[in-house]
Coordinates of all heavy atoms in Angstrom, one line a residue:
M1 N -15.1 -52.8 -46.7 CA -14.1 -52.5 -45.6 C -13.9 -51.0 -45.5 O -13.8 -50.3 -46.5 CB -12.8 -53.2 -45.9 CG -11.8 -53.0 -44.8 SD -10.4 -54.0 -45.2 CE -9.3 -53.5 -43.9
T2 N -13.9 -50.5 -44.3 CA -13.7 -49.1 -44.0 C -12.6 -49.0 -43.0 O -12.2 -49.9 -42.3 CB -15.0 -48.4 -43.5 OG1 -15.4 -49.0 -42.3 CG2 -16.1 -48.5 -44.5
G3 N -12.1 -47.8 -42.8 CA -11.1 -47.5 -41.8 C -9.7 -47.5 -42.4 O -9.5 -47.7 -43.6
E4 N -8.7 -47.4 -41.6 CA -7.3 -47.3 -42.0 C -6.7 -48.7 -41.9 O -7.2 -49.6 -41.2 CB -6.6 -46.4 -41.0 CG -7.1 -45.0 -41.1 CD -7.0 -44.3 -42.4 OE1 -6.0 -44.6 -43.1 OE2 -7.9 -43.6 -42.8
K5 N -5.6 -48.9 -42.7 CA -4.9 -50.1 -42.6 C -4.3 -50.3 -41.3 O -3.8 -49.3 -40.7 CB -3.8 -50.1 -43.7 CG -4.4 -50.1 -45.1 CD -3.2 -50.0 -46.1 CE -3.8 -50.0 -47.5 NZ -2.7 -49.8 -48.5
P6 N -4.3 -51.5 -40.8 CA -3.7 -51.8 -39.5 C -2.2 -51.3 -39.4 O -1.5 -51.5 -40.4 CB -3.7 -53.3 -39.3 CG -4.9 -53.7 -40.2 CD -4.9 -52.7 -41.3
G7 N -1.9 -50.7 -38.3 CA -0.5 -50.2 -38.1 C -0.2 -48.9 -38.7 O 0.9 -48.4 -38.6
T8 N -1.2 -48.2 -39.3 CA -0.9 -46.9 -40.0 C -1.3 -45.7 -39.2 O -1.1 -44.6 -39.5 CB -1.6 -46.8 -41.4 OG1 -3.0 -46.9 -41.2 CG2 -1.1 -47.9 -42.3
V9 N -2.0 -45.9 -38.0 CA -2.5 -44.9 -37.2 C -1.8 -45.0 -35.8 O -1.8 -46.0 -35.2 CB -4.0 -44.9 -37.0 CG1 -4.5 -43.9 -36.1 CG2 -4.7 -44.8 -38.4
G10 N -1.2 -43.9 -35.4 CA -0.6 -43.9 -34.1 C -1.6 -44.1 -32.9 O -2.8 -43.7 -33.1
P11 N -1.1 -44.6 -31.8 CA -2.1 -45.0 -30.7 C -2.6 -43.8 -29.9 O -3.5 -43.9 -29.2 CB -1.2 -45.9 -29.9 CG 0.2 -45.4 -30.1 CD 0.2 -45.0 -31.5
D12 N -2.0 -42.6 -30.1 CA -2.4 -41.5 -29.2 C -3.9 -41.2 -29.3 O -4.6 -41.1 -28.3 CB -1.6 -40.2 -29.5 CG -0.1 -40.4 -29.3 OD1 0.2 -41.4 -28.7 OD2 0.6 -39.5 -29.6
G13 N -4.4 -41.0 -30.5 CA -5.8 -40.6 -30.8 C -6.7 -41.7 -30.3 O -7.7 -41.4 -29.5
Y14 N -6.6 -42.9 -30.7 CA -7.5 -43.9 -30.3 C -7.4 -44.3 -28.9 O -8.4 -44.6 -28.2 CB -7.5 -45.1 -31.3 CG -6.3 -46.0 -31.3 CD1 -6.0 -46.9 -30.3 CD2 -5.4 -45.9 -32.4 CE1 -4.8 -47.7 -30.4 CE2 -4.3 -46.7 -32.5 CZ -4.0 -47.6 -31.4 OH -2.9 -48.4 -31.5
S15 N -6.2 -44.2 -28.3 CA -6.1 -44.4 -26.8 C -6.9 -43.4 -26.0 O -7.6 -43.7 -25.0 CB -4.6 -44.4 -26.4 OG -4.0 -45.5 -27.0
L16 N -6.8 -42.1 -26.4 CA -7.5 -41.1 -25.8 C -9.0 -41.3 -26.0 O -9.8 -41.1 -25.0 CB -7.1 -39.7 -26.3 CG -7.7 -38.5 -25.7 CD1 -7.3 -38.5 -24.2 CD2 -7.1 -37.2 -26.3
D17 N -9.4 -41.6 -27.2 CA -10.9 -41.9 -27.4 C -11.4 -43.0 -26.5 O -12.5 -42.9 -25.9 CB -11.1 -42.3 -28.9 CG -11.1 -41.2 -29.8 OD1 -11.1 -40.0 -29.4 OD2 -11.0 -41.4 -31.0
I18 N -10.6 -44.1 -26.4 CA -11.0 -45.2 -25.5 C -11.1 -44.7 -24.1 O -12.0 -45.1 -23.4 CB -10.0 -46.4 -25.7 CG1 -10.2 -47.0 -27.1 CG2 -10.2 -47.4 -24.6 CD1 -9.1 -48.0 -27.5
A19 N -10.2 -43.9 -23.6 CA -10.2 -43.4 -22.3 C -11.5 -42.6 -22.0 O -12.1 -42.7 -20.9 CB -9.0 -42.6 -22.0
H20 N -11.9 -41.8 -23.0 CA -13.1 -41.0 -22.8 C -14.4 -41.9 -22.7 O -15.4 -41.4 -22.1 CB -13.3 -40.0 -24.0 CG -12.3 -38.9 -23.9 ND1 -12.3 -38.0 -22.8 CD2 -11.4 -38.4 -24.7 CE1 -11.4 -37.1 -23.0 NE2 -10.8 -37.3 -24.2
T21 N -14.4 -43.1 -23.1 CA -15.6 -43.9 -23.1 C -15.9 -44.3 -21.6 O -17.0 -44.7 -21.4 CB -15.4 -45.2 -23.9 OG1 -14.4 -46.0 -23.3 CG2 -15.1 -44.9 -25.3
T22 N -15.0 -44.1 -20.7 CA -15.3 -44.4 -19.3 C -15.8 -43.2 -18.5 O -16.2 -43.4 -17.4 CB -14.0 -44.9 -18.6 OG1 -13.0 -43.8 -18.6 CG2 -13.4 -46.1 -19.3
E23 N -15.9 -42.1 -19.2 CA -16.4 -40.9 -18.5 C -17.9 -40.9 -18.3 O -18.6 -41.5 -19.2 CB -16.0 -39.6 -19.3 CG -14.6 -39.4 -19.4 CD -14.2 -38.2 -20.3 OE1 -15.2 -37.6 -20.9 OE2 -13.0 -37.9 -20.4
P24 N -18.4 -40.4 -17.2 CA -19.9 -40.3 -17.0 C -20.6 -39.6 -18.2 O -20.1 -38.5 -18.6 CB -20.1 -39.6 -15.7 CG -18.7 -39.7 -15.0 CD -17.7 -39.8 -16.1
G25 N -21.7 -40.1 -18.6 CA -22.4 -39.4 -19.7 C -22.0 -39.6 -21.1 O -22.5 -39.1 -22.0
Y26 N -20.9 -40.4 -21.2 CA -20.4 -40.7 -22.6 C -21.4 -41.2 -23.6 O -21.6 -40.7 -24.7 CB -19.1 -41.6 -22.5 CG -18.6 -42.0 -23.8 CD1 -17.8 -41.2 -24.6 CD2 -19.0 -43.3 -24.4 CE1 -17.4 -41.6 -25.8 CE2 -18.6 -43.7 -25.6 CZ -17.8 -42.8 -26.4 OH -17.3 -43.2 -27.6
A27 N -22.1 -42.3 -23.1 CA -23.0 -42.9 -24.0 C -24.2 -42.0 -24.4 O -24.5 -41.9 -25.6 CB -23.6 -44.2 -23.4
Q28 N -24.6 -41.2 -23.5 CA -25.7 -40.2 -23.9 C -25.2 -39.2 -24.8 O -25.9 -38.8 -25.8 CB -26.2 -39.5 -22.6 CG -27.4 -38.6 -22.9 CD -28.6 -39.3 -23.5 OE1 -29.1 -40.3 -22.9 NE2 -29.1 -38.8 -24.6
R29 N -24.0 -38.7 -24.6 CA -23.4 -37.7 -25.6 C -23.3 -38.3 -27.0 O -23.6 -37.6 -28.0 CB -22.1 -37.2 -25.1 CG -22.1 -36.3 -23.9 CD -20.8 -35.5 -23.6 NE -19.7 -36.4 -23.4 CZ -19.4 -37.0 -22.3 NH1 -20.1 -36.8 -21.2 NH2 -18.3 -37.8 -22.2
Q30 N -22.9 -39.5 -27.1 CA -22.8 -40.2 -28.4 C -24.1 -40.3 -29.0 O -24.3 -40.1 -30.2 CB -22.1 -41.5 -28.3 CG -20.6 -41.4 -27.9 CD -19.8 -40.7 -28.9 OE1 -19.9 -40.9 -30.1 NE2 -19.1 -39.7 -28.5
D31 N -25.1 -40.7 -28.2 CA -26.5 -40.8 -28.7 C -27.0 -39.5 -29.3 O -27.6 -39.4 -30.3 CB -27.5 -41.4 -27.7 CG -27.3 -42.8 -27.4 OD1 -26.7 -43.5 -28.2 OD2 -27.9 -43.3 -26.4
D32 N -26.8 -38.4 -28.5 CA -27.2 -37.1 -28.9 C -26.5 -36.7 -30.2 O -27.2 -36.1 -31.1 CB -26.9 -36.1 -27.8 CG -27.7 -36.3 -26.5 OD1 -28.7 -37.0 -26.5 OD2 -27.3 -35.7 -25.5
L33 N -25.2 -37.0 -30.3 CA -24.5 -36.6 -31.5 C -25.1 -37.3 -32.7 O -25.3 -36.7 -33.8 CB -23.0 -36.9 -31.3 CG -22.1 -36.5 -32.5 CD1 -22.1 -35.0 -32.7 CD2 -20.7 -37.0 -32.2
I34 N -25.3 -38.6 -32.6 CA -25.8 -39.4 -33.7 C -27.2 -38.9 -34.1 O -27.5 -38.8 -35.3 CB -25.7 -40.9 -33.4 CG1 -24.3 -41.4 -33.3 CG2 -26.5 -41.7 -34.4 CD1 -24.1 -42.7 -32.6
F35 N -28.0 -38.7 -33.1 CA -29.4 -38.3 -33.3 C -29.4 -36.9 -34.0 O -30.2 -36.7 -35.0 CB -30.2 -38.2 -32.1 CG -31.6 -37.7 -32.3 CD1 -32.6 -38.6 -32.8 CD2 -32.0 -36.4 -32.0 CE1 -33.9 -38.2 -33.0 CE2 -33.3 -36.0 -32.2 CZ -34.2 -36.9 -32.7
D36 N -28.5 -36.0 -33.7 CA -28.4 -34.7 -34.2 C -28.0 -34.6 -35.6 O -28.1 -33.6 -36.3 CB -27.6 -33.8 -33.3 CG -27.7 -32.3 -33.7 OD1 -28.8 -31.8 -33.8 OD2 -26.7 -31.7 -34.0
Y37 N -27.4 -35.7 -36.1 CA -26.9 -35.7 -37.5 C -28.0 -35.4 -38.5 O -27.8 -34.8 -39.6 CB -26.2 -37.1 -37.9 CG -25.6 -37.0 -39.2 CD1 -24.4 -36.2 -39.4 CD2 -26.1 -37.6 -40.3 CE1 -23.8 -36.1 -40.6 CE2 -25.5 -37.6 -41.6 CZ -24.4 -36.8 -41.7 OH -23.8 -36.7 -43.0
Q38 N -29.3 -35.8 -38.2 CA -30.4 -35.5 -39.1 C -30.5 -34.0 -39.3 O -30.9 -33.6 -40.4 CB -31.7 -36.1 -38.5 CG -32.1 -35.4 -37.2 CD -33.3 -36.2 -36.7 OE1 -34.2 -36.7 -37.4 NE2 -33.4 -36.2 -35.3
T39 N -30.2 -33.1 -38.4 CA -30.2 -31.7 -38.6 C -29.1 -31.3 -39.6 O -29.3 -30.3 -40.4 CB -30.1 -30.9 -37.3 OG1 -28.9 -31.1 -36.7 CG2 -31.3 -31.2 -36.4
N40 N -28.0 -32.0 -39.6 CA -26.9 -31.7 -40.5 C -27.4 -31.9 -41.9 O -27.2 -31.1 -42.8 CB -25.7 -32.6 -40.2 CG -24.5 -32.3 -41.1 OD1 -24.5 -31.5 -41.9 ND2 -23.5 -33.1 -40.8
V41 N -28.1 -33.1 -42.2 CA -28.6 -33.4 -43.5 C -29.6 -32.3 -43.9 O -29.6 -31.9 -45.1 CB -29.2 -34.8 -43.5 CG1 -29.9 -35.1 -44.8 CG2 -28.1 -35.8 -43.2
A42 N -30.5 -31.9 -43.0 CA -31.5 -30.9 -43.4 C -30.8 -29.6 -43.8 O -31.4 -28.8 -44.5 CB -32.4 -30.7 -42.2
L43 N -29.6 -29.3 -43.3 CA -28.9 -28.1 -43.5 C -28.1 -28.1 -44.8 O -27.4 -27.1 -45.1 CB -28.1 -27.6 -42.3 CG -28.9 -27.2 -41.1 CD1 -28.0 -27.0 -39.9 CD2 -29.7 -26.0 -41.4
Y44 N -28.0 -29.2 -45.5 CA -27.1 -29.3 -46.7 C -27.3 -28.2 -47.6 O -26.4 -27.6 -48.1 CB -27.3 -30.6 -47.4 CG -26.6 -31.8 -46.8 CD1 -26.7 -33.1 -47.3 CD2 -25.6 -31.7 -45.8 CE1 -26.1 -34.2 -46.8 CE2 -25.0 -32.8 -45.3 CZ -25.2 -34.0 -45.8 OH -24.5 -35.1 -45.3
P45 N -28.6 -27.8 -47.9 CA -28.8 -26.7 -48.9 C -28.1 -25.4 -48.4 O -27.5 -24.6 -49.2 CB -30.3 -26.5 -49.0 CG -30.8 -27.9 -48.7 CD -29.9 -28.4 -47.6
Q46 N -28.2 -25.1 -47.1 CA -27.6 -23.9 -46.5 C -26.0 -24.0 -46.6 O -25.4 -23.0 -46.9 CB -28.0 -23.6 -45.1 CG -29.5 -23.2 -45.0 CD -29.9 -23.1 -43.6 OE1 -29.5 -23.8 -42.7 NE2 -30.8 -22.2 -43.4
F47 N -25.5 -25.2 -46.3 CA -24.0 -25.3 -46.4 C -23.6 -25.1 -47.9 O -22.6 -24.4 -48.1 CB -23.6 -26.8 -46.0 CG -23.9 -27.1 -44.6 CD1 -24.1 -28.5 -44.3 CD2 -24.0 -26.2 -43.6 CE1 -24.4 -28.9 -43.0 CE2 -24.2 -26.6 -42.3 CZ -24.4 -27.9 -42.0
Q48 N -24.3 -25.7 -48.8 CA -24.0 -25.5 -50.2 C -24.1 -24.1 -50.7 O -23.3 -23.6 -51.4 CB -24.9 -26.4 -51.1 CG -24.6 -27.9 -50.8 CD -25.7 -28.8 -51.3 OE1 -26.9 -28.4 -51.5 NE2 -25.4 -30.0 -51.6
D49 N -25.1 -23.4 -50.2 CA -25.3 -21.9 -50.5 C -24.1 -21.1 -50.0 O -23.6 -20.2 -50.7 CB -26.6 -21.4 -50.0 CG -27.8 -21.8 -50.7 OD1 -27.7 -22.4 -51.9 OD2 -28.9 -21.7 -50.2
Y50 N -23.7 -21.4 -48.8 CA -22.5 -20.7 -48.2 C -21.3 -20.9 -49.0 O -20.6 -20.0 -49.3 CB -22.3 -21.2 -46.7 CG -21.1 -20.5 -46.1 CD1 -21.2 -19.3 -45.4 CD2 -19.9 -21.2 -46.2 CE1 -20.1 -18.7 -44.9 CE2 -18.7 -20.6 -45.6 CZ -18.9 -19.4 -45.0 OH -17.8 -18.8 -44.4
V51 N -21.0 -22.2 -49.3 CA -19.8 -22.5 -50.1 C -19.9 -21.8 -51.5 O -18.9 -21.2 -52.0 CB -19.6 -24.0 -50.2 CG1 -18.5 -24.3 -51.2 CG2 -19.3 -24.6 -48.9
R52 N -21.0 -21.8 -52.1 CA -21.2 -21.2 -53.4 C -21.0 -19.7 -53.3 O -20.3 -19.1 -54.2 CB -22.6 -21.5 -53.9 CG -22.8 -21.3 -55.4 CD -24.2 -21.7 -55.9 NE -24.3 -23.2 -55.7 CZ -25.2 -23.8 -54.9 NH1 -26.0 -23.1 -54.1 NH2 -25.2 -25.1 -54.8
Q53 N -21.5 -19.0 -52.3 CA -21.4 -17.6 -52.1 C -20.0 -17.1 -51.7 O -19.4 -16.2 -52.3 CB -22.4 -17.1 -51.1 CG -22.3 -15.5 -50.9 CD -23.4 -15.0 -49.9 OE1 -24.2 -15.8 -49.5 NE2 -23.3 -13.8 -49.6
Y54 N -19.4 -17.8 -50.7 CA -18.1 -17.3 -50.2 C -16.9 -18.0 -50.7 O -15.8 -17.5 -50.6 CB -18.1 -17.4 -48.7 CG -19.2 -16.5 -48.0 CD1 -20.4 -17.0 -47.6 CD2 -19.0 -15.1 -47.9 CE1 -21.4 -16.1 -47.1 CE2 -19.9 -14.3 -47.4 CZ -21.1 -14.8 -47.0 OH -22.1 -14.0 -46.4
Q55 N -17.1 -19.1 -51.4 CA -16.0 -19.9 -52.0 C -14.8 -20.0 -51.1 O -13.7 -19.7 -51.5 CB -15.7 -19.3 -53.4 CG -16.9 -19.2 -54.3 CD -16.5 -18.6 -55.6 OE1 -15.4 -18.3 -55.9 NE2 -17.5 -18.5 -56.5
P56 N -15.0 -20.6 -49.9 CA -13.8 -20.8 -49.0 C -12.9 -21.9 -49.6 O -13.4 -22.7 -50.4 CB -14.4 -21.3 -47.7 CG -15.7 -21.9 -48.1 CD -16.2 -21.1 -49.3
E57 N -11.7 -21.9 -49.3 CA -10.7 -22.9 -49.8 C -11.0 -24.2 -49.0 O -10.6 -24.2 -47.8 CB -9.3 -22.4 -49.6 CG -9.0 -21.3 -50.5 CD -7.5 -20.9 -50.5 OE1 -6.7 -21.7 -50.1 OE2 -7.2 -19.7 -50.8
I58 N -11.7 -25.1 -49.6 CA -12.0 -26.4 -48.9 C -11.8 -27.5 -49.9 O -11.8 -27.3 -51.1 CB -13.4 -26.4 -48.3 CG1 -14.4 -26.3 -49.5 CG2 -13.6 -25.4 -47.3 CD1 -15.9 -26.5 -49.1
L59 N -11.6 -28.7 -49.3 CA -11.7 -29.9 -50.1 C -12.7 -30.8 -49.5 O -12.7 -31.2 -48.3 CB -10.3 -30.6 -50.1 CG -10.3 -32.0 -50.7 CD1 -10.7 -31.9 -52.2 CD2 -9.0 -32.7 -50.5
A60 N -13.8 -31.0 -50.2 CA -14.9 -31.8 -49.7 C -15.1 -32.9 -50.7 O -15.4 -32.7 -51.9 CB -16.2 -31.0 -49.7
A61 N -14.9 -34.1 -50.2 CA -15.0 -35.3 -51.1 C -16.1 -36.2 -50.6 O -16.2 -36.5 -49.4 CB -13.7 -36.1 -51.1
W62 N -17.0 -36.6 -51.5 CA -18.1 -37.5 -51.3 C -18.0 -38.6 -52.3 O -17.7 -38.4 -53.4 CB -19.4 -36.7 -51.4 CG -20.0 -36.2 -50.2 CD1 -20.8 -36.9 -49.3 CD2 -20.0 -34.8 -49.8 NE1 -21.2 -36.0 -48.3 CE2 -20.7 -34.7 -48.6 CE3 -19.4 -33.7 -50.3 CZ2 -20.9 -33.6 -47.9 CZ3 -19.6 -32.5 -49.6 CH2 -20.3 -32.5 -48.4
G63 N -18.5 -39.7 -51.9 CA -18.7 -40.8 -52.8 C -20.1 -41.3 -52.6 O -20.6 -41.3 -51.4
K64 N -20.7 -41.9 -53.6 CA -22.1 -42.3 -53.4 C -22.3 -43.4 -52.4 O -23.3 -43.7 -51.9 CB -22.8 -42.6 -54.7 CG -22.3 -43.9 -55.4 CD -23.1 -44.2 -56.6 CE -22.8 -45.5 -57.2 NZ -23.7 -45.9 -58.3
N65 N -21.2 -44.1 -52.1 CA -21.2 -45.2 -51.1 C -20.5 -44.9 -49.8 O -20.2 -45.7 -49.0 CB -20.6 -46.5 -51.7 CG -21.4 -47.0 -52.9 OD1 -22.7 -47.0 -52.9 ND2 -20.8 -47.3 -54.0
D66 N -20.2 -43.6 -49.6 CA -19.5 -43.2 -48.4 C -20.5 -43.4 -47.2 O -21.6 -43.0 -47.2 CB -19.2 -41.7 -48.5 CG -18.3 -41.2 -47.4 OD1 -18.6 -41.5 -46.2 OD2 -17.3 -40.6 -47.7
P67 N -20.0 -44.1 -46.1 CA -20.8 -44.4 -45.0 C -21.0 -43.2 -44.0 O -21.9 -43.3 -43.2 CB -20.1 -45.5 -44.3 CG -18.6 -45.3 -44.6 CD -18.6 -44.7 -46.0
S68 N -20.2 -42.2 -44.1 CA -20.3 -41.1 -43.2 C -21.0 -39.9 -43.8 O -21.7 -39.2 -43.1 CB -18.9 -40.7 -42.7 OG -18.3 -41.8 -42.1
F69 N -20.8 -39.6 -45.0 CA -21.3 -38.4 -45.6 C -22.2 -38.8 -46.8 O -21.7 -39.2 -47.9 CB -20.2 -37.4 -46.1 CG -19.3 -37.0 -45.0 CD1 -18.1 -37.6 -44.8 CD2 -19.7 -36.0 -44.2 CE1 -17.3 -37.2 -43.8 CE2 -18.9 -35.6 -43.1 CZ -17.7 -36.2 -42.9
I70 N -23.5 -38.9 -46.5 CA -24.4 -39.5 -47.5 C -24.5 -38.6 -48.8 O -24.3 -37.4 -48.8 CB -25.8 -39.7 -46.9 CG1 -26.5 -38.4 -46.5 CG2 -25.7 -40.6 -45.7 CD1 -27.9 -38.5 -46.1
Y71 N -24.9 -39.3 -49.8 CA -24.8 -38.7 -51.2 C -25.6 -37.5 -51.3 O -25.2 -36.6 -52.1 CB -25.3 -39.8 -52.2 CG -25.1 -39.3 -53.6 CD1 -23.9 -39.2 -54.2 CD2 -26.2 -39.0 -54.4 CE1 -23.7 -38.7 -55.5 CE2 -26.1 -38.5 -55.7 CZ -24.8 -38.4 -56.2 OH -24.7 -37.9 -57.5
P72 N -26.8 -37.3 -50.7 CA -27.6 -36.1 -50.9 C -26.8 -34.8 -50.6 O -27.2 -33.7 -51.1 CB -28.8 -36.2 -50.0 CG -29.0 -37.6 -49.9 CD -27.6 -38.2 -49.9
G73 N -25.7 -34.9 -49.9 CA -24.9 -33.7 -49.6 C -23.9 -33.3 -50.7 O -23.4 -32.2 -50.7
A74 N -23.8 -34.2 -51.7 CA -22.7 -34.0 -52.7 C -23.2 -33.2 -53.9 O -22.5 -32.3 -54.4 CB -22.2 -35.3 -53.1
P75 N -24.4 -33.5 -54.5 CA -24.7 -32.8 -55.7 C -24.8 -31.3 -55.6 O -25.2 -30.8 -54.5 CB -26.1 -33.4 -56.1 CG -26.2 -34.6 -55.3 CD -25.4 -34.4 -54.0
R76 N -24.5 -30.6 -56.6 CA -24.6 -29.2 -56.7 C -26.1 -28.9 -57.0 O -26.6 -29.5 -57.9 CB -23.7 -28.5 -57.7 CG -22.3 -28.7 -57.4 CD -21.4 -28.2 -58.4 NE -21.1 -26.9 -58.0 CZ -20.3 -26.1 -58.7 NH1 -19.8 -26.4 -59.9 NH2 -20.0 -24.9 -58.3
S77 N -26.7 -28.0 -56.3 CA -28.1 -27.7 -56.6 C -28.2 -26.3 -57.2 O -27.3 -25.6 -57.2 CB -28.9 -27.8 -55.4 OG -28.4 -27.1 -54.3

């Protein structure tokens, strides 16, 4: 199971998201975004190098079964 517990998220965000689904070009933009995720994965080493060099204050949490942020992005190289 993923997502938030029912009743714990205010309706503003998801109502706005639902409204945007009726806009022209919405489906194509979503397809483009999903397709482009592969370039994100290819850039993991550069992201990791940046974080290692500049040490910005961030909290990045990964789990080996996370459906959104796949495991290859987590290990330190």
Side-chain angles (χ1 to χ4, degrees):
M1 181 175 174
T2 61
E4 299 299 322
K5 294 179 182 175
T8 62
V9 177
D12 297 353
Y14 64 77
S15 295
L16 187 57
D17 285 347
I18 291 168
H20 284 300
T21 65
T22 63
E23 295 175 358
Y26 171 81
Q28 184 62 51
R29 288 193 303 273
Q30 291 301 309
D31 284 346
D32 292 346
L33 181 63
I34 292 166
F35 180 77
D36 191 52
Y37 187 71
Q38 64 186 328
T39 59
N40 184 359
V41 174
L43 292 172
Y44 279 175
Q46 290 176 329
F47 298 152
Q48 293 164 338
D49 288 344
Y50 176 89
V51 170
R52 197 174 295 112
Q53 180 178 354
Y54 295 101
Q55 300 181 6
E57 292 184 24
I58 60 171
L59 172 61
W62 265 278
K64 73 176 187 173
N65 297 316
D66 189 308
S68 299
F69 300 101
I70 63 172
Y71 186 71
R76 297 176 97 178
S77 50

